[in-house]
Amino acid sequence: MENKQTKIKVALLINEYFGAVKTGYGGYGFLARRLVAEYLPSDDLQVDVLLKTTSRNFGILAKKHIVDGINVYEIPKKQWATKQFLKKQNYDVYLSIEVTFILPLKLEPDQRKKLLFWIQDPRPQTDWEEIHTVQLYPEPSYYDQALYDYIHQLYKQDRVKFISQGYFLNEKAKELYRLNEDVNIQYLPNPIEINKDFNLNTYEKKDMIIFLGRIESVKRGWLFAEIAKQCPEYEFYMLGQSFHDTAKNAEIMAKYKDIPNLYFAGHVDGEEKEQFLKDAKILVNTSIHEALPVSFLEALSYGTLLVSNQNPENLTEKFGVYTGQVLGDGFDAIERYVEGIHFLMKNDEIRKTLARQGINYIKEVHNIPKFIQDMRDILFDLAGCK
């Protein structure tokens, strides 16, 4: 980089922005809003967020919002207008969290500009086959071969740099995007804010167990409710709400409303969510499919252990109880979760030891300063400023 300060403009492509601009509260949106847009902007790096336009009022104009001091644009509906918008903005580099909203890059007038592609949850057909074993409430497939072929095309043109939140995801990405076996995929784990004031040794956790995530088919929230019925001695809190097919989800969960030790807290955020993470001893995850959920990392940062049928990067085995794979609706596996909960609850010294190890792991691997430095280095390199 030259001695004089160079400012680069980064376009963050995402389909939702964690509640902002009337979007949902998914993990990608959290990553985009609470981590990328929160920590990367600086005197020499600007982050703009590009979203799909949701209103019919903006056919040829971008709709600009300011969210937490960040420019958030709903791009025009007309593709020619989007091209004009991108030409005017003149972004140096694009950042995409998977392929949730890749259209702006296709319309970029300068087809030499590069993409930083963050592998988060690549889903080849084999993953969808597992997801579709759920019968109670099937999850719609969003498998899109044309999108995956486009990423392959960028790869062949040497216009994309891959980073990955987890080593175990790389083989899936190679399959989905048809990447060479020797492709360079840089490990860049999702960062987590560490509460430096939290002291596990002095904080008195409660006999509380939490579920944290959207209440949707793929999460199989009904299993959490069934587990609560089997463990009346503990309090169970379901943290999250539905954003798709709300009526169907409500219908499924309605029969669990009268379980006395099960509480539906709805969507929680900020200090309220932090309090649940502090108080809970266990996070239960019952999803038919996960990559590496931010909720796992958040829980471990507060010494809250994991009980799950998902074992990304072997974290559940290391810091909790892995039930083994649970396909289908999962009702036949309730006892496995219950056994895991009882083991951790009744062996307090083991639980506390694992909790301390979990906190140390998050501090070492998922710390924010390293994330900021690594992301900056990559983005400036792709923008040709290093």
Side-chain angles (χ1 to χ4, degrees), residues 349-363:
E349 286 308 309
I350 293 176
R351 182 188 62 79
K352 288 179 179 178
T353 298
L354 293 177
R356 286 191 290 269
Q357 292 173 356
I359 291 175
N360 290 336
Y361 168 81
I362 296 298
K363 287 180 177 178

PDB file of all heavy atoms in Angstrom, residues 349-363:
ATOM      1  N   GLU A 349     -18.855 -30.948  38.816  1.00  0.00           N
ATOM      2  CA  GLU A 349     -17.436 -30.649  38.633  1.00  0.00           C
ATOM      3  C   GLU A 349     -17.013 -30.858  37.177  1.00  0.00           C
ATOM      4  O   GLU A 349     -16.233 -30.083  36.632  1.00  0.00           O
ATOM      5  CB  GLU A 349     -16.582 -31.507  39.578  1.00  0.00           C
ATOM      6  CG  GLU A 349     -16.650 -31.059  41.034  1.00  0.00           C
ATOM      7  CD  GLU A 349     -16.352 -29.572  41.203  1.00  0.00           C
ATOM      8  OE1 GLU A 349     -15.314 -29.097  40.675  1.00  0.00           O
ATOM      9  OE2 GLU A 349     -17.153 -28.877  41.852  1.00  0.00           O
ATOM     10  N   ILE A 350     -17.549 -31.912  36.568  1.00  0.00           N
ATOM     11  CA  ILE A 350     -17.269 -32.133  35.141  1.00  0.00           C
ATOM     12  C   ILE A 350     -17.816 -30.981  34.324  1.00  0.00           C
ATOM     13  O   ILE A 350     -17.148 -30.449  33.424  1.00  0.00           O
ATOM     14  CB  ILE A 350     -17.883 -33.467  34.671  1.00  0.00           C
ATOM     15  CG1 ILE A 350     -17.173 -34.641  35.337  1.00  0.00           C
ATOM     16  CG2 ILE A 350     -17.813 -33.580  33.144  1.00  0.00           C
ATOM     17  CD1 ILE A 350     -17.769 -35.992  35.006  1.00  0.00           C
ATOM     18  N   ARG A 351     -19.048 -30.568  34.652  1.00  0.00           N
ATOM     19  CA  ARG A 351     -19.674 -29.455  33.921  1.00  0.00           C
ATOM     20  C   ARG A 351     -18.839 -28.183  34.044  1.00  0.00           C
ATOM     21  O   ARG A 351     -18.580 -27.498  33.040  1.00  0.00           O
ATOM     22  CB  ARG A 351     -21.088 -29.206  34.444  1.00  0.00           C
ATOM     23  CG  ARG A 351     -21.824 -28.082  33.692  1.00  0.00           C
ATOM     24  CD  ARG A 351     -23.152 -27.729  34.341  1.00  0.00           C
ATOM     25  NE  ARG A 351     -22.987 -27.236  35.699  1.00  0.00           N
ATOM     26  CZ  ARG A 351     -22.609 -25.994  36.010  1.00  0.00           C
ATOM     27  NH1 ARG A 351     -22.330 -25.124  35.043  1.00  0.00           N
ATOM     28  NH2 ARG A 351     -22.495 -25.627  37.272  1.00  0.00           N
ATOM     29  N   LYS A 352     -18.395 -27.865  35.251  1.00  0.00           N
ATOM     30  CA  LYS A 352     -17.632 -26.630  35.459  1.00  0.00           C
ATOM     31  C   LYS A 352     -16.282 -26.685  34.743  1.00  0.00           C
ATOM     32  O   LYS A 352     -15.824 -25.679  34.189  1.00  0.00           O
ATOM     33  CB  LYS A 352     -17.442 -26.392  36.960  1.00  0.00           C
ATOM     34  CG  LYS A 352     -18.715 -25.974  37.675  1.00  0.00           C
ATOM     35  CD  LYS A 352     -18.465 -25.768  39.163  1.00  0.00           C
ATOM     36  CE  LYS A 352     -19.734 -25.316  39.878  1.00  0.00           C
ATOM     37  NZ  LYS A 352     -19.527 -25.148  41.335  1.00  0.00           N
ATOM     38  N   THR A 353     -15.659 -27.847  34.751  1.00  0.00           N
ATOM     39  CA  THR A 353     -14.370 -27.988  34.058  1.00  0.00           C
ATOM     40  C   THR A 353     -14.542 -27.776  32.559  1.00  0.00           C
ATOM     41  O   THR A 353     -13.772 -27.031  31.924  1.00  0.00           O
ATOM     42  CB  THR A 353     -13.771 -29.375  34.327  1.00  0.00           C
ATOM     43  OG1 THR A 353     -13.512 -29.523  35.729  1.00  0.00           O
ATOM     44  CG2 THR A 353     -12.471 -29.561  33.554  1.00  0.00           C
ATOM     45  N   LEU A 354     -15.545 -28.415  31.981  1.00  0.00           N
ATOM     46  CA  LEU A 354     -15.808 -28.247  30.557  1.00  0.00           C
ATOM     47  C   LEU A 354     -16.195 -26.807  30.231  1.00  0.00           C
ATOM     48  O   LEU A 354     -15.830 -26.278  29.176  1.00  0.00           O
ATOM     49  CB  LEU A 354     -16.911 -29.196  30.104  1.00  0.00           C
ATOM     50  CG  LEU A 354     -16.586 -30.692  30.131  1.00  0.00           C
ATOM     51  CD1 LEU A 354     -17.808 -31.511  29.712  1.00  0.00           C
ATOM     52  CD2 LEU A 354     -15.406 -31.008  29.229  1.00  0.00           C
ATOM     53  N   ALA A 355     -16.936 -26.175  31.136  1.00  0.00           N
ATOM     54  CA  ALA A 355     -17.358 -24.781  30.925  1.00  0.00           C
ATOM     55  C   ALA A 355     -16.147 -23.857  30.856  1.00  0.00           C
ATOM     56  O   ALA A 355     -16.072 -22.976  29.993  1.00  0.00           O
ATOM     57  CB  ALA A 355     -18.301 -24.353  32.042  1.00  0.00           C
ATOM     58  N   ARG A 356     -15.195 -24.052  31.754  1.00  0.00           N
ATOM     59  CA  ARG A 356     -13.976 -23.228  31.735  1.00  0.00           C
ATOM     60  C   ARG A 356     -13.189 -23.461  30.441  1.00  0.00           C
ATOM     61  O   ARG A 356     -12.681 -22.515  29.836  1.00  0.00           O
ATOM     62  CB  ARG A 356     -13.111 -23.550  32.960  1.00  0.00           C
ATOM     63  CG  ARG A 356     -13.642 -22.984  34.273  1.00  0.00           C
ATOM     64  CD  ARG A 356     -12.612 -23.104  35.384  1.00  0.00           C
ATOM     65  NE  ARG A 356     -12.427 -24.502  35.790  1.00  0.00           N
ATOM     66  CZ  ARG A 356     -13.123 -25.092  36.758  1.00  0.00           C
ATOM     67  NH1 ARG A 356     -14.057 -24.422  37.405  1.00  0.00           N
ATOM     68  NH2 ARG A 356     -12.872 -26.345  37.076  1.00  0.00           N
ATOM     69  N   GLN A 357     -13.105 -24.709  30.037  1.00  0.00           N
ATOM     70  CA  GLN A 357     -12.393 -25.024  28.794  1.00  0.00           C
ATOM     71  C   GLN A 357     -13.080 -24.399  27.586  1.00  0.00           C
ATOM     72  O   GLN A 357     -12.413 -23.935  26.654  1.00  0.00           O
ATOM     73  CB  GLN A 357     -12.302 -26.542  28.633  1.00  0.00           C
ATOM     74  CG  GLN A 357     -11.412 -27.218  29.656  1.00  0.00           C
ATOM     75  CD  GLN A 357     -11.473 -28.742  29.578  1.00  0.00           C
ATOM     76  OE1 GLN A 357     -12.247 -29.307  28.799  1.00  0.00           O
ATOM     77  NE2 GLN A 357     -10.668 -29.422  30.390  1.00  0.00           N
ATOM     78  N   GLY A 358     -14.406 -24.391  27.606  1.00  0.00           N
ATOM     79  CA  GLY A 358     -15.162 -23.787  26.514  1.00  0.00           C
ATOM     80  C   GLY A 358     -14.902 -22.296  26.391  1.00  0.00           C
ATOM     81  O   GLY A 358     -14.705 -21.768  25.280  1.00  0.00           O
ATOM     82  N   ILE A 359     -14.887 -21.607  27.507  1.00  0.00           N
ATOM     83  CA  ILE A 359     -14.614 -20.164  27.505  1.00  0.00           C
ATOM     84  C   ILE A 359     -13.216 -19.899  26.962  1.00  0.00           C
ATOM     85  O   ILE A 359     -13.008 -18.995  26.137  1.00  0.00           O
ATOM     86  CB  ILE A 359     -14.769 -19.586  28.930  1.00  0.00           C
ATOM     87  CG1 ILE A 359     -16.242 -19.610  29.354  1.00  0.00           C
ATOM     88  CG2 ILE A 359     -14.224 -18.157  28.989  1.00  0.00           C
ATOM     89  CD1 ILE A 359     -16.481 -19.182  30.784  1.00  0.00           C
ATOM     90  N   ASN A 360     -12.250 -20.677  27.404  1.00  0.00           N
ATOM     91  CA  ASN A 360     -10.866 -20.486  26.937  1.00  0.00           C
ATOM     92  C   ASN A 360     -10.749 -20.737  25.437  1.00  0.00           C
ATOM     93  O   ASN A 360     -10.010 -20.034  24.737  1.00  0.00           O
ATOM     94  CB  ASN A 360      -9.921 -21.405  27.706  1.00  0.00           C
ATOM     95  CG  ASN A 360      -9.752 -20.983  29.156  1.00  0.00           C
ATOM     96  OD1 ASN A 360      -9.949 -19.819  29.493  1.00  0.00           O
ATOM     97  ND2 ASN A 360      -9.402 -21.927  30.015  1.00  0.00           N
ATOM     98  N   TYR A 361     -11.489 -21.722  24.945  1.00  0.00           N
ATOM     99  CA  TYR A 361     -11.464 -22.016  23.509  1.00  0.00           C
ATOM    100  C   TYR A 361     -11.986 -20.827  22.708  1.00  0.00           C
ATOM    101  O   TYR A 361     -11.382 -20.427  21.701  1.00  0.00           O
ATOM    102  CB  TYR A 361     -12.308 -23.259  23.222  1.00  0.00           C
ATOM    103  CG  TYR A 361     -12.571 -23.481  21.749  1.00  0.00           C
ATOM    104  CD1 TYR A 361     -11.621 -24.074  20.929  1.00  0.00           C
ATOM    105  CD2 TYR A 361     -13.769 -23.062  21.165  1.00  0.00           C
ATOM    106  CE1 TYR A 361     -11.852 -24.261  19.567  1.00  0.00           C
ATOM    107  CE2 TYR A 361     -14.013 -23.243  19.811  1.00  0.00           C
ATOM    108  CZ  TYR A 361     -13.052 -23.839  19.026  1.00  0.00           C
ATOM    109  OH  TYR A 361     -13.296 -24.003  17.682  1.00  0.00           O
ATOM    110  N   ILE A 362     -13.096 -20.265  23.131  1.00  0.00           N
ATOM    111  CA  ILE A 362     -13.677 -19.118  22.416  1.00  0.00           C
ATOM    112  C   ILE A 362     -12.713 -17.933  22.432  1.00  0.00           C
ATOM    113  O   ILE A 362     -12.499 -17.266  21.407  1.00  0.00           O
ATOM    114  CB  ILE A 362     -15.028 -18.725  23.033  1.00  0.00           C
ATOM    115  CG1 ILE A 362     -16.056 -19.851  22.873  1.00  0.00           C
ATOM    116  CG2 ILE A 362     -15.554 -17.435  22.399  1.00  0.00           C
ATOM    117  CD1 ILE A 362     -16.379 -20.209  21.443  1.00  0.00           C
ATOM    118  N   LYS A 363     -12.109 -17.670  23.568  1.00  0.00           N
ATOM    119  CA  LYS A 363     -11.169 -16.555  23.669  1.00  0.00           C
ATOM    120  C   LYS A 363      -9.981 -16.733  22.728  1.00  0.00           C
ATOM    121  O   LYS A 363      -9.494 -15.769  22.132  1.00  0.00           O
ATOM    122  CB  LYS A 363     -10.664 -16.425  25.115  1.00  0.00           C
ATOM    123  CG  LYS A 363     -11.692 -15.880  26.084  1.00  0.00           C
ATOM    124  CD  LYS A 363     -11.112 -15.782  27.491  1.00  0.00           C
ATOM    125  CE  LYS A 363     -12.108 -15.178  28.458  1.00  0.00           C
ATOM    126  NZ  LYS A 363     -11.578 -15.109  29.843  1.00  0.00           N
TER     127      LYS A 363
END
